Coordinates of all heavy atoms in Angstrom, one line a residue:
I17 N 0.9 -1.2 0.0 CA 0.0 0.0 0.0 C 0.9 1.2 0.0 O 1.8 1.3 0.8 CB -0.9 0.0 1.2 CG1 -1.9 -1.2 1.2 CG2 -1.7 1.3 1.3 CD1 -2.8 -1.3 2.4
F18 N 0.6 2.2 -0.9 CA 1.3 3.4 -1.0 C 0.5 4.5 -0.3 O -0.7 4.6 -0.5 CB 1.5 3.8 -2.4 CG 2.3 5.1 -2.6 CD1 3.7 5.1 -2.5 CD2 1.7 6.3 -2.9 CE1 4.4 6.2 -2.6 CE2 2.4 7.4 -3.1 CZ 3.8 7.4 -2.9
T19 N 1.1 5.2 0.7 CA 0.3 6.2 1.4 C 0.9 7.6 1.1 O 2.1 7.8 0.9 CB 0.4 6.0 2.9 OG1 1.7 6.0 3.3 CG2 -0.3 4.7 3.3
F20 N 0.0 8.6 1.0 CA 0.5 10.0 0.8 C -0.4 10.9 1.6 O -1.5 10.6 2.0 CB 0.5 10.3 -0.7 CG -0.9 10.4 -1.3 CD1 -1.5 11.7 -1.4 CD2 -1.5 9.3 -1.8 CE1 -2.8 11.8 -2.0 CE2 -2.8 9.4 -2.4 CZ -3.4 10.6 -2.5
G21 N 0.2 12.0 1.9 CA -0.5 13.1 2.7 C -0.6 14.3 1.8 O 0.1 14.5 0.8
V22 N -1.6 15.1 2.2 CA -1.9 16.3 1.4 C -2.0 17.5 2.3 O -2.7 17.4 3.4 CB -3.2 16.2 0.6 CG1 -3.6 17.5 -0.1 CG2 -3.2 15.0 -0.3
L23 N -1.3 18.6 2.0 CA -1.4 19.9 2.7 C -2.0 20.9 1.6 O -1.6 20.8 0.5 CB -0.1 20.4 3.1 CG 0.6 19.6 4.2 CD1 2.0 20.1 4.4 CD2 -0.2 19.7 5.5
T24 N -2.8 21.8 2.1 CA -3.3 22.8 1.2 C -3.2 24.2 1.7 O -3.5 24.4 2.9 CB -4.8 22.5 0.8 OG1 -5.6 22.6 2.0 CG2 -5.0 21.2 0.1
D25 N -2.7 25.1 0.9 CA -2.7 26.5 1.3 C -2.3 26.8 2.7 O -3.1 27.4 3.5 CB -4.1 27.2 1.0 CG -4.3 27.3 -0.5 OD1 -3.3 27.5 -1.2 OD2 -5.5 27.3 -0.9
I26 N -1.1 26.5 3.1 CA -0.6 26.7 4.4 C -0.7 28.2 4.8 O -1.1 28.6 5.9 CB 0.9 26.2 4.6 CG1 0.9 24.7 4.4 CG2 1.4 26.6 5.9 CD1 2.3 24.1 4.3
Q27 N -0.3 29.1 3.9 CA -0.4 30.5 4.0 C 0.3 31.1 5.2 O -0.1 31.9 6.0 CB -1.9 31.0 4.1 CG -2.7 30.6 2.9 CD -2.3 31.3 1.6 OE1 -1.5 32.2 1.6 NE2 -2.8 30.8 0.5
Y28 N 1.6 30.6 5.4 CA 2.4 31.2 6.5 C 2.9 32.6 6.1 O 3.3 32.9 5.0 CB 3.6 30.3 6.8 CG 4.6 30.9 7.7 CD1 4.3 30.9 9.1 CD2 5.7 31.5 7.3 CE1 5.1 31.5 10.0 CE2 6.6 32.1 8.2 CZ 6.3 32.1 9.5 OH 7.1 32.7 10.4
A29 N 3.0 33.4 7.1 CA 3.6 34.7 7.0 C 4.0 35.2 8.5 O 3.2 35.0 9.4 CB 2.7 35.8 6.4
P30 N 5.1 35.8 8.6 CA 5.5 36.2 10.0 C 4.9 37.6 10.3 O 5.6 38.5 10.6 CB 7.1 36.3 9.9 CG 7.3 36.6 8.5 CD 6.2 35.9 7.7
I31 N 3.6 37.7 10.2 CA 2.9 38.9 10.5 C 1.7 38.6 11.4 O 1.3 37.4 11.5 CB 2.4 39.6 9.2 CG1 1.4 38.7 8.4 CG2 3.6 40.0 8.3 CD1 0.8 39.3 7.2
P32 N 1.1 39.6 12.0 CA -0.1 39.3 12.8 C -1.2 38.7 12.0 O -1.3 38.9 10.8 CB -0.5 40.7 13.3 CG 0.7 41.5 13.2 CD 1.5 41.0 12.0
D33 N -2.1 38.0 12.7 CA -3.3 37.4 12.0 C -4.1 38.5 11.3 O -4.1 39.6 11.7 CB -4.2 36.6 13.0 CG -3.5 35.4 13.6 OD1 -2.5 34.9 13.0 OD2 -3.9 34.9 14.7
G34 N -4.8 38.0 10.3 CA -5.6 39.0 9.5 C -6.6 38.3 8.7 O -7.1 37.3 9.0
H35 N -6.8 38.8 7.5 CA -7.7 38.3 6.5 C -7.1 38.2 5.1 O -6.2 39.0 4.8 CB -9.0 39.2 6.5 CG -9.7 39.2 7.7 ND1 -9.4 40.0 8.8 CD2 -10.8 38.4 8.1 CE1 -10.3 39.7 9.8 NE2 -11.1 38.8 9.4
S36 N -7.6 37.2 4.4 CA -7.2 37.1 3.0 C -7.7 38.2 2.2 O -8.5 39.0 2.7 CB -7.7 35.8 2.4 OG -9.1 35.8 2.3
Y37 N -7.3 38.3 0.9 CA -7.8 39.3 0.1 C -9.3 39.2 -0.1 O -10.0 40.2 -0.4 CB -7.1 39.3 -1.3 CG -5.6 39.6 -1.2 CD1 -4.6 38.6 -1.3 CD2 -5.2 40.9 -0.8 CE1 -3.3 38.9 -1.2 CE2 -3.8 41.2 -0.7 CZ -2.9 40.2 -0.9 OH -1.6 40.4 -0.7
A38 N -9.8 38.0 0.1 CA -11.3 37.8 -0.1 C -12.0 38.0 1.2 O -13.2 37.8 1.3 CB -11.5 36.3 -0.6
G39 N -11.3 38.3 2.3 CA -11.9 38.6 3.6 C -12.0 37.4 4.5 O -12.5 37.5 5.6
N40 N -11.4 36.2 4.1 CA -11.4 35.0 5.0 C -10.4 35.2 6.1 O -9.3 35.7 5.8 CB -11.1 33.8 4.2 CG -12.2 33.5 3.1 OD1 -13.4 33.7 3.4 ND2 -11.7 33.2 1.9
P41 N -10.7 34.7 7.3 CA -9.7 34.9 8.4 C -8.4 34.1 8.1 O -8.5 32.9 7.6 CB -10.4 34.4 9.7 CG -11.6 33.6 9.2 CD -11.9 34.1 7.8
R42 N -7.3 34.6 8.4 CA -6.0 33.9 8.3 C -5.2 34.0 9.6 O -5.1 35.0 10.2 CB -5.1 34.6 7.2 CG -5.7 34.4 5.8 CD -5.3 33.1 5.2 NE -5.9 32.7 4.0 CZ -5.6 33.1 2.8 NH1 -4.6 33.9 2.6 NH2 -6.3 32.8 1.7
Y43 N -4.7 32.8 9.9 CA -3.9 32.7 11.2 C -2.5 32.5 10.7 O -2.0 31.3 10.8 CB -4.5 31.6 12.0 CG -6.0 31.8 12.3 CD1 -6.9 31.1 11.6 CD2 -6.4 32.8 13.2 CE1 -8.3 31.4 11.8 CE2 -7.7 33.0 13.4 CZ -8.7 32.3 12.7 OH -10.0 32.6 12.9
Y44 N -1.8 33.5 10.2 CA -0.5 33.4 9.6 C 0.5 32.7 10.4 O 1.2 31.8 9.9 CB -0.1 34.8 9.2 CG -1.0 35.5 8.2 CD1 -1.7 36.6 8.5 CD2 -1.1 35.0 6.9 CE1 -2.5 37.2 7.6 CE2 -1.9 35.6 6.0 CZ -2.6 36.8 6.3 OH -3.4 37.4 5.4
R45 N 0.8 33.1 11.6 CA 1.9 32.5 12.4 C 1.5 31.1 12.8 O 2.4 30.2 12.9 CB 2.2 33.4 13.6 CG 2.9 34.7 13.1 CD 3.3 35.5 14.3 NE 3.9 36.7 13.8 CZ 4.3 37.7 14.5 NH1 4.1 37.7 15.8 NH2 4.8 38.8 14.0
H46 N 0.2 30.9 13.1 CA -0.2 29.5 13.5 C 0.0 28.5 12.3 O 0.1 27.3 12.6 CB -1.7 29.6 13.9 CG -2.2 28.2 14.2 ND1 -1.9 27.5 15.4 CD2 -3.1 27.4 13.5 CE1 -2.5 26.4 15.4 NE2 -3.2 26.3 14.3
A47 N 0.0 29.0 11.1 CA 0.1 28.1 9.9 C 1.4 27.3 10.0 O 1.4 26.1 9.7 CB 0.1 28.9 8.6
K48 N 2.4 27.9 10.5 CA 3.7 27.1 10.6 C 3.6 26.0 11.6 O 4.0 24.9 11.4 CB 4.8 28.1 11.0 CG 6.2 27.5 11.0 CD 7.2 28.5 11.3 CE 8.6 28.0 11.3 NZ 9.6 29.0 11.6
K49 N 2.9 26.3 12.8 CA 2.7 25.3 13.8 C 1.8 24.2 13.3 O 2.0 23.0 13.5 CB 2.1 25.9 15.1 CG 2.0 25.0 16.2 CD 3.3 24.7 16.8 CE 3.2 24.0 18.1 NZ 4.4 23.4 18.6
A50 N 0.8 24.5 12.5 CA -0.1 23.5 12.0 C 0.6 22.6 11.0 O 0.4 21.4 10.9 CB -1.3 24.2 11.3
A51 N 1.5 23.2 10.2 CA 2.3 22.4 9.2 C 3.2 21.5 10.0 O 3.4 20.3 9.6 CB 3.1 23.3 8.3
E52 N 3.8 21.9 11.1 CA 4.7 21.1 11.9 C 3.9 19.9 12.5 O 4.4 18.8 12.5 CB 5.3 21.9 13.0 CG 6.4 22.9 12.5 CD 6.9 23.8 13.6 OE1 6.3 23.8 14.7 OE2 7.8 24.6 13.3
H53 N 2.7 20.2 12.9 CA 1.8 19.2 13.5 C 1.5 18.1 12.4 O 1.5 16.9 12.6 CB 0.5 19.8 14.0 CG -0.5 18.8 14.5 ND1 -0.3 18.3 15.8 CD2 -1.6 18.3 14.0 CE1 -1.3 17.4 16.0 NE2 -2.1 17.4 14.9
A54 N 1.2 18.6 11.2 CA 0.9 17.7 10.1 C 2.2 16.8 9.7 O 2.0 15.6 9.5 CB 0.5 18.5 8.8
A55 N 3.3 17.4 9.8 CA 4.6 16.7 9.5 C 4.8 15.6 10.5 O 5.2 14.5 10.1 CB 5.8 17.6 9.4
I56 N 4.6 15.9 11.7 CA 4.7 14.8 12.8 C 3.7 13.7 12.6 O 4.1 12.5 12.6 CB 4.5 15.5 14.2 CG1 5.7 16.4 14.5 CG2 4.4 14.4 15.2 CD1 5.5 17.3 15.7
H57 N 2.5 14.1 12.2 CA 1.5 13.1 12.0 C 1.9 12.2 10.8 O 1.8 11.0 10.8 CB 0.1 13.7 11.7 CG -1.0 12.7 11.3 ND1 -1.6 11.9 12.3 CD2 -1.5 12.5 10.1 CE1 -2.5 11.2 11.7 NE2 -2.4 11.5 10.4
F58 N 2.4 12.8 9.7 CA 2.8 12.1 8.5 C 3.9 11.1 8.9 O 4.0 10.0 8.4 CB 3.2 13.0 7.4 CG 2.1 13.8 6.8 CD1 2.3 15.1 6.3 CD2 0.8 13.4 6.8 CE1 1.3 15.9 5.8 CE2 -0.3 14.1 6.3 CZ 0.0 15.4 5.8
Q59 N 4.8 11.5 9.7 CA 5.9 10.7 10.1 C 5.4 9.5 10.9 O 5.8 8.4 10.7 CB 7.0 11.5 10.9 CG 7.8 12.4 10.0 CD 8.7 13.3 10.8 OE1 8.6 13.4 12.0 NE2 9.7 13.9 10.1
E60 N 4.6 9.8 11.9 CA 4.0 8.7 12.7 C 3.2 7.7 11.9 O 3.3 6.5 12.2 CB 3.1 9.3 13.8 CG 3.8 10.1 14.9 CD 2.9 10.9 15.8 OE1 1.7 11.0 15.5 OE2 3.4 11.4 16.8
E61 N 2.6 8.1 10.9 CA 1.8 7.2 10.0 C 2.6 6.7 8.9 O 2.1 5.9 8.1 CB 0.6 8.0 9.5 CG -0.4 8.4 10.5 CD -1.0 7.3 11.3 OE1 -1.4 6.2 10.7 OE2 -1.2 7.4 12.5
Q62 N 3.9 7.0 8.9 CA 4.8 6.5 7.9 C 4.3 6.8 6.4 O 4.4 6.0 5.5 CB 5.1 5.0 8.0 CG 5.7 4.7 9.4 CD 6.0 3.3 9.6 OE1 5.6 2.4 8.9 NE2 6.8 3.0 10.6
V63 N 3.8 8.0 6.3 CA 3.4 8.5 5.0 C 4.6 8.5 4.0 O 5.7 9.0 4.4 CB 2.7 9.9 5.1 CG1 2.4 10.4 3.7 CG2 1.4 9.7 5.9
Q64 N 4.5 8.0 2.8 CA 5.6 7.9 1.9 C 5.8 9.1 1.0 O 6.9 9.3 0.5 CB 5.4 6.6 1.0 CG 5.4 5.4 1.9 CD 4.8 4.2 1.2 OE1 3.9 4.3 0.4 NE2 5.4 3.0 1.4
C65 N 4.8 9.9 0.8 CA 4.9 11.0 0.0 C 3.9 12.1 0.5 O 2.8 11.8 0.8 CB 4.5 10.7 -1.5 SG 4.6 12.1 -2.6
V66 N 4.3 13.4 0.5 CA 3.4 14.5 0.9 C 3.4 15.5 -0.2 O 4.4 15.8 -0.8 CB 3.9 15.2 2.2 CG1 3.1 16.4 2.5 CG2 4.0 14.2 3.3
V67 N 2.2 15.9 -0.6 CA 2.0 16.9 -1.6 C 1.3 18.1 -1.1 O 0.4 18.1 -0.3 CB 1.0 16.3 -2.7 CG1 0.7 17.3 -3.8 CG2 1.6 15.0 -3.3
N68 N 1.9 19.3 -1.4 CA 1.3 20.6 -1.0 C 0.6 21.1 -2.2 O 1.1 21.3 -3.3 CB 2.4 21.5 -0.6 CG 1.8 22.9 -0.2 OD1 0.9 22.9 0.6 ND2 2.3 23.9 -0.9
L69 N -0.7 21.4 -2.0 CA -1.6 22.0 -3.1 C -1.8 23.4 -2.7 O -2.5 23.7 -1.8 CB -2.9 21.2 -3.2 CG -2.8 19.7 -3.5 CD1 -4.1 19.1 -3.4 CD2 -2.1 19.4 -4.8
G70 N -1.2 24.3 -3.4 CA -1.5 25.7 -3.1 C -0.2 26.4 -2.5 O 0.9 25.9 -2.6
D71 N -0.5 27.6 -2.0 CA 0.6 28.4 -1.5 C 1.2 27.9 -0.1 O 0.4 27.4 0.7 CB 0.1 29.8 -1.2 CG -0.5 30.5 -2.4 OD1 -0.3 29.9 -3.5 OD2 -1.0 31.6 -2.3
I72 N 2.4 28.1 0.0 CA 3.1 27.8 1.3 C 3.2 29.1 2.1 O 2.9 29.2 3.3 CB 4.4 27.1 1.2 CG1 4.3 25.8 0.6 CG2 5.2 27.1 2.5 CD1 5.6 25.1 0.3
V73 N 3.6 30.2 1.3 CA 3.8 31.5 1.9 C 2.7 32.4 1.4 O 2.5 32.5 0.2 CB 5.2 32.0 1.6 CG1 5.4 33.4 2.1 CG2 6.2 31.1 2.1
D74 N 2.1 33.1 2.3 CA 1.0 34.1 1.8 C 1.6 35.3 1.1 O 2.7 35.7 1.4 CB 0.2 34.6 3.1 CG -1.0 35.3 2.7 OD1 -2.0 34.7 2.4 OD2 -1.0 36.6 2.6
G75 N 0.8 35.8 0.1 CA 1.2 36.9 -0.6 C 1.5 38.2 0.2 O 2.2 39.1 -0.2
K76 N 0.9 38.2 1.4 CA 1.1 39.3 2.3 C 2.5 39.3 2.9 O 2.8 40.3 3.6 CB 0.0 39.4 3.3 CG -1.3 39.7 2.8 CD -2.4 40.0 3.8 CE -3.7 40.4 3.2 NZ -4.7 40.7 4.2
C77 N 3.3 38.3 2.6 CA 4.7 38.3 3.1 C 5.4 39.5 2.5 O 6.5 39.9 2.9 CB 5.4 37.0 2.7 SG 5.2 35.8 4.0
A78 N 4.9 40.1 1.4 CA 5.5 41.3 0.8 C 5.7 42.4 1.9 O 6.6 43.2 1.8 CB 4.7 41.8 -0.3
A79 N 4.8 42.4 2.9 CA 4.9 43.4 4.0 C 5.7 42.9 5.2 O 5.7 43.5 6.2 CB 3.5 43.8 4.4
V80 N 6.5 41.9 5.0 CA 7.2 41.3 6.1 C 8.2 42.2 6.8 O 8.4 42.2 8.0 CB 7.9 40.0 5.7 CG1 9.1 40.2 4.8 CG2 8.2 39.1 6.9
E81 N 8.8 43.1 6.0 CA 9.8 44.1 6.6 C 9.1 45.0 7.6 O 9.7 45.3 8.6 CB 10.4 44.9 5.5 CG 11.4 44.2 4.6 CD 12.0 45.0 3.6 OE1 11.3 45.8 2.9 OE2 13.2 44.9 3.4
K82 N 7.8 45.3 7.4 CA 7.1 46.1 8.4 C 7.1 45.4 9.8 O 7.0 46.1 10.8 CB 5.7 46.3 7.9 CG 4.7 47.0 8.8 CD 3.4 47.1 8.2 CE 2.4 47.8 9.2 NZ 1.0 47.8 8.6
W83 N 7.1 44.1 9.8 CA 7.1 43.4 11.1 C 8.4 42.9 11.5 O 8.5 42.0 12.4 CB 6.1 42.2 10.9 CG 4.8 42.7 10.5 CD1 4.2 42.7 9.3 CD2 3.8 43.4 11.3 NE1 3.0 43.3 9.3 CE2 2.7 43.8 10.5 CE3 3.8 43.8 12.7 CZ2 1.6 44.5 11.0 CZ3 2.7 44.5 13.1 CH2 1.6 44.8 12.3
G84 N 9.5 43.4 10.9 CA 10.9 43.0 11.4 C 11.5 41.9 10.6 O 12.6 41.5 11.0
G85 N 10.9 41.5 9.5 CA 11.5 40.4 8.7 C 12.5 41.0 7.6 O 12.7 42.2 7.5
V86 N 13.0 40.1 6.8 CA 13.9 40.4 5.7 C 13.3 40.0 4.4 O 12.8 38.9 4.3 CB 15.3 39.8 6.0 CG1 16.2 40.1 4.8 CG2 15.8 40.2 7.3
V87 N 13.4 40.8 3.4 CA 13.0 40.5 2.1 C 14.2 40.5 1.1 O 15.0 41.4 1.2 CB 11.9 41.5 1.6 CG1 11.5 41.2 0.1 CG2 10.7 41.5 2.5
S88 N 14.4 39.5 0.3 CA 15.5 39.4 -0.6 C 15.4 40.5 -1.6 O 14.3 41.0 -1.9 CB 15.6 38.0 -1.2 OG 14.5 37.8 -2.1
D89 N 16.5 40.8 -2.3 CA 16.6 41.8 -3.3 C 15.7 41.4 -4.5 O 15.0 42.2 -5.1 CB 18.0 42.1 -3.8 CG 18.8 42.8 -2.7 OD1 18.2 43.5 -1.9 OD2 20.0 42.7 -2.8
S90 N 15.7 40.1 -4.8 CA 14.9 39.6 -6.0 C 13.4 39.7 -5.7 O 12.7 40.1 -6.5 CB 15.3 38.1 -6.3 OG 15.0 37.3 -5.2
K91 N 13.0 39.4 -4.4 CA 11.6 39.5 -4.1 C 11.2 41.0 -4.1 O 10.1 41.4 -4.5 CB 11.4 38.9 -2.7 CG 9.9 38.9 -2.3 CD 9.1 38.0 -3.2 CE 7.7 37.9 -2.8 NZ 6.9 37.2 -3.7
R92 N 12.1 41.9 -3.6 CA 11.8 43.3 -3.6 C 11.6 43.8 -5.0 O 10.7 44.6 -5.2 CB 13.0 44.1 -2.9 CG 12.7 45.5 -2.6 CD 13.8 46.2 -1.9 NE 13.8 45.8 -0.4 CZ 14.6 45.0 0.2 NH1 15.7 44.5 -0.5 NH2 14.5 44.7 1.4
A93 N 12.4 43.3 -5.9 CA 12.2 43.7 -7.3 C 10.9 43.2 -7.9 O 10.2 44.0 -8.6 CB 13.4 43.2 -8.2
E94 N 10.6 42.0 -7.5 CA 9.3 41.5 -8.0 C 8.1 42.3 -7.5 O 7.1 42.5 -8.2 CB 9.2 40.0 -7.5 CG 7.9 39.3 -7.9 CD 7.8 37.9 -7.3 OE1 8.8 37.3 -7.2 OE2 6.6 37.6 -7.0
I95 N 8.2 42.7 -6.2 CA 7.1 43.4 -5.6 C 7.0 44.8 -6.3 O 5.9 45.3 -6.6 CB 7.3 43.6 -4.1 CG1 7.2 42.3 -3.4 CG2 6.4 44.6 -3.5 CD1 7.7 42.2 -2.0
A96 N 8.1 45.4 -6.6 CA 8.2 46.7 -7.2 C 7.5 46.7 -8.6 O 7.0 47.7 -9.1 CB 9.6 47.2 -7.3
E97 N 7.6 45.6 -9.3 CA 7.0 45.4 -10.7 C 5.5 45.4 -10.7 O 4.9 45.6 -11.7 CB 7.6 44.2 -11.3 CG 9.0 44.3 -11.7 CD 9.6 43.0 -12.3 OE1 8.8 42.1 -12.5 OE2 10.8 43.0 -12.5
R98 N 4.9 45.1 -9.5 CA 3.4 44.9 -9.5 C 2.7 46.2 -9.6 O 2.8 47.2 -9.4 CB 3.0 44.3 -8.1 CG 3.5 42.8 -8.1 CD 3.0 42.2 -6.8 NE 3.6 40.9 -6.6 CZ 3.6 40.2 -5.5 NH1 2.9 40.7 -4.5 NH2 4.1 39.1 -5.4

């Protein structure tokens, strides 16, 4: 038997909780803890493959510097082009 796990739209960002662009609540920092919990579960269940469907990092990470984070030069250039 082949087993696999699925994660969807983790949406991690090192910023305070807020809302998506559509207005849905987002628990940005908690997303990392939830992903860690899933990883432990996958290991305990000896899942052979894990697939992530969707974003790992929320688009609002563009504002990460505001909260004390660091944005790479390439990401800064990408944001400026928008």
Side-chain angles (χ1 to χ4, degrees):
I17 296 177
F18 183 79
T19 58
F20 68 96
V22 177
L23 293 172
T24 61
D25 288 329
I26 295 171
Q27 302 295 349
Y28 171 76
I31 62 175
D33 292 341
H35 293 85
S36 68
Y37 296 110
N40 300 317
R42 291 277 169 84
Y43 306 100
Y44 296 112
R45 290 183 181 174
H46 176 72
K48 187 174 179 182
K49 187 73 172 169
E52 290 170 356
H53 179 78
I56 291 168
H57 176 75
F58 294 149
Q59 288 175 345
E60 289 172 348
E61 296 298 318
Q62 299 179 348
V63 172
Q64 297 164 321
C65 177
V66 176
V67 178
N68 177 54
L69 305 174
D71 302 351
I72 293 175
V73 177
D74 190 81
K76 291 189 177 182
C77 271
V80 74
E81 287 179 316
K82 176 180 174 184
W83 304 103
V86 177
V87 177
S88 69
D89 289 337
S90 61
K91 185 65 176 175
R92 189 175 284 109
E94 178 185 327
I95 293 166
E97 291 176 3
R98 291 183 191 170

